[in-house]
Amino acid sequence: MIRVNLDIMLAKRGMSSLELAEKLGITPANLSILKTNKGKAIRFSTLDALCRILSCSVADILEFIPDEEEA
């Protein structure tokens, strides 16, 4: 499973979800889908923009959590 850690990065940067959505040029609803791990995919351009806006790396935003069967 891939976990999206946007809430953590937003808290570290003192940024609201609304502010991030505006800077990304997406709706708050679409950002919410990403934040709650309900999205099925993310564009590299969106991931690139997230890293630039939040001054972080991809690993700060996305985390791989192995299934219990794999662990």
Side-chain angles (χ1 to χ4, degrees), residues 18-61:
L18 183 58
E19 183 181 356
L20 179 58
E22 288 173 358
K23 289 183 178 194
L24 278 172
I26 65 174
T27 66
N30 282 338
L31 181 60
S32 177
I33 289 168
L34 285 176
K35 285 176 45 182
T36 57
N37 289 313
K38 293 182 180 172
K40 299 294 181 192
I42 185 169
R43 292 177 187 232
F44 283 136
S45 58
T46 302
L47 194 53
D48 178 71
L50 282 168
C51 291
R52 289 177 192 274
I53 292 165
L54 297 172
S55 298
C56 66
S57 72
V58 172
D60 294 321
I61 298 171

